[in-house]
Amino acid sequence: MTDVTGEPVDALHTLFHSDQGGHEQVVLCQDRASGLKAVIAIHSTALGPALGGTRFYPYASEQAAVADALNLARGMSYKNALAGLGHGGGKAVIIGDPEAFEGDRRTELLLAYGRAVASLGGRYVTACDVGTYVADMDVVARECRWTTGRSPENGGAGDSSVLTAFGVFQGMRASAQHLWGDPTLRGRKVGVAGVGKVGHHLVEHLLADGAEVTITDVREESVRRITERHPGVAVAAGTGALIRTEGLDIYAPCALGGALNDETVPVLTASVVCGAANNQLAHPGVEKDLADRSILYAPDYVVNAGGVIQVADELHGFDFDRCRAKAAKIFDTTLAIFARAKSDGVPPAAAADRIAEQRMADAARR
C-alpha cells in the first residue's frame, strides 16, 4: 500500500486537478498475490472517523477509479453531516470485475483489502457498496476491526439496503408534501431505474403506499424478481424509455451515478427526482437545469442516508428500531432543505450543501 505520491502521473493529475478537491488523504493499495488494486479516499474527519462503503467495479482505468473514489468520498462527508452522524466522509473502490473473483480468490482479495483498511488505524471505516455484500464485509472484518455492514452472525446489522430504501421513501414523501401538499404517494406514478439491492425494497414501500410503479434494470433477473411478485408493476424498455414515460410524477434513479445529465434532464417528464443512487448530478449546473424546468430534486446524499445511519449504529451496538427512527427523520431533513432552498433562492442541492458545509466547518473549529 502506498500514498498517492508514489503513483503514476495520471492518478496525480486526477487527484490534484479534480473539481472534487479538499480531501485529507488518498491511498492507492495493491497486493499482487491476491490481485487487489484499490483506492481509499478520505475527504474529511472533521465530524469523526471517515465512514463510507467499498465499491467493487471494473473501471476503465486507474484514473477513473481515483476520480470516482474522490467524488464518492466527498459525497459521504456531506451525507454523514446531514444525517447527524459523528463521522466524516470516505470511500474505497476496488478495481476489477467482482464476478471474476469467486471462492478462495475473492476471499484472498478481501483479506488483503481488510489489511489495507486496518493500516489506516481507524481513520476510515468501511462497509458495503455496489459490488460488495454483507458476506464480503464478514471477510474484511477478519483483518480489520473498522468494518461495518457485517452479518448478524458476525456481530453486524446485516443488509443496509433495507433502511436505505426506507430513507428514500421518506424523501419521496417529503417531496410530495412540499409539491402537492400531501405526504402520500397514493395514485402517483413513480419510475424506478435500478431494482437491485435498494431499488426492490423501495418498490415494496411504494406499492404499499398505493403508488403506480414502472421499473427498469439492466439485469433481467432483477426485473423478474419484481414482476413475479407484483404482476401489476410495469416495465420500461430501458432508462431512456422510463424517463420519457407519459404522466410520470417521480423519477427514482437507483443504480450508478450521473443519471441526471445534459441528455436526460431535457426529456424528463417527472415533476420530482428522488432516488437512491449516489452522485446523480453528472456535473455542477445540472441542479439549475432541473430548477429551470421546475423539477424538484431531492438531494441524493440526503435521502439515501438510511444505509449509513444503519452501519454507523452498528459500531455502537445495533438497534434496528433506533435506526429506523433516525432514518424516518430524513422526511424532516428533506423538508428543511426545500425550505432553505426557497428562502435562499437556490436549488435544493445548493441548500443541502450549505447546511452540510456549515456543520463540518463548525466541527473543524471546535
Side-chain angles (χ1 to χ4, degrees):
M1 184 180 71
T2 61
D3 286 334
V4 74
T5 49
E7 292 301 316
V9 173
D10 61 348
L12 284 169
H13 184 275
T14 297
L15 175 60
F16 292 114
H17 296 275
S18 169
D19 60 1
Q20 303 292 347
H23 296 71
E24 293 181 11
Q25 185 178 10
V26 180
V27 177
L28 302 186
C29 316
Q30 182 169 282
D31 180 76
R32 295 185 187 279
S34 66
L36 173 72
K37 296 182 75 173
V39 183
I40 301 173
I42 297 174
H43 177 260
S44 171
T45 56
L47 291 167
L51 171 63
T54 300
R55 178 164 294 188
F56 199 163
Y57 188 75
Y59 292 94
S61 66
E62 292 179 6
Q63 186 175 6
V66 171
D68 200 30
L70 293 172
N71 197 30
L72 292 166
R74 180 177 181 272
M76 288 305 304
S77 287
Y78 285 63
K79 179 187 293 189
N80 293 340
L82 277 175
L85 301 176
H87 286 280
K91 204 79 171 188
V93 300
I94 297 175
I95 304 169
D97 181 357
E99 295 185 0
F101 287 83
E102 297 180 348
D104 291 345
R105 189 181 182 204
R106 189 179 185 97
T107 297
E108 291 305 313
L109 179 140
L110 292 170
L111 290 173
Y113 170 67
R115 291 191 292 272
V117 175
S119 73
L120 296 174
R123 282 177 52 78
Y124 168 62
V125 181
T126 196
C128 300
D129 195 72
V130 174
T132 59
Y133 302 87
V134 170
D136 294 328
M137 293 305 107
D138 285 346
V139 176
V140 173
R142 287 158 54 182
E143 293 282 358
C144 177
R145 65 188 180 92
W146 294 287
T147 305
T148 186
R150 294 165 293 151
S151 68
E153 295 80 5
N154 286 279
D159 186 4
S160 64
S161 63
V162 173
L163 285 182
T164 300
F166 178 69
V168 174
F169 178 61
Q170 297 308 314
M172 285 190 183
R173 292 182 62 247
S175 299
Q177 174 67 52
H178 178 80
L179 199 60
W180 300 306
D182 192 336
T184 182
L185 283 305
R186 180 170 298 281
R188 298 294 175 187
K189 192 168 187 176
V190 182
V192 182
V195 287
K197 286 197 291 186
V198 175
H200 85 277
H201 289 300
L202 178 61
V203 169
E204 296 290 342
H205 286 297
L206 292 168
L207 293 174
D209 200 35
E212 179 183 343
V213 179
T214 302
I215 64 172
T216 188
D217 197 292
V218 295
R219 294 177 178 270
E220 290 184 10
E221 60 269 28
S222 296
V223 172
R224 189 164 55 249
R225 174 172 57 175
I226 298 291
T227 56
E228 287 179 352
R229 181 177 174 85
H230 303 288
V233 170
V235 179
T239 302
L242 180 63
I243 64 176
R244 292 177 172 86
T245 299
E246 185 177 350
L248 198 66
D249 293 300
I250 301 175
Y251 171 57
C254 295
L256 294 177
L260 303 174
N261 54 50
D262 296 336
E263 288 72 44
T264 58
V265 171
V267 296
L268 267 174
T269 59
S271 301
V272 175
V273 174
C274 179
N278 288 309
N279 301 315
Q280 293 170 22
L281 306 180
H283 60 77
V286 173
E287 66 270 31
K288 183 177 184 302
D289 295 338
L290 289 166
D292 288 346
R293 293 202 59 219
S294 298
I295 298 172
L296 181 66
Y297 172 61
D300 49 36
Y301 70 82
V302 176
V303 302
N304 68 12
V308 76
I309 288 170
Q310 174 172 319
V311 296
D313 192 77
E314 180 182 316
L315 297 170
H316 310 287
F318 177 66
D319 183 288
F320 182 82
D321 291 338
R322 179 174 62 207
C323 286
R324 195 177 192 278
K326 289 180 181 178
K329 293 180 181 178
I330 289 173
F331 176 87
D332 298 319
T333 301
T334 305
L335 281 180
I337 287 166
F338 291 152
R340 174 71 178 267
K342 183 176 181 180
S343 65
D344 288 3
V346 297
D353 284 355
R354 289 178 182 182
I355 296 171
E357 287 163 0
Q358 186 62 55
R359 289 181 181 176
M360 287 187 280
D362 289 345
R365 283 194 291 270
R366 290 198 290 267

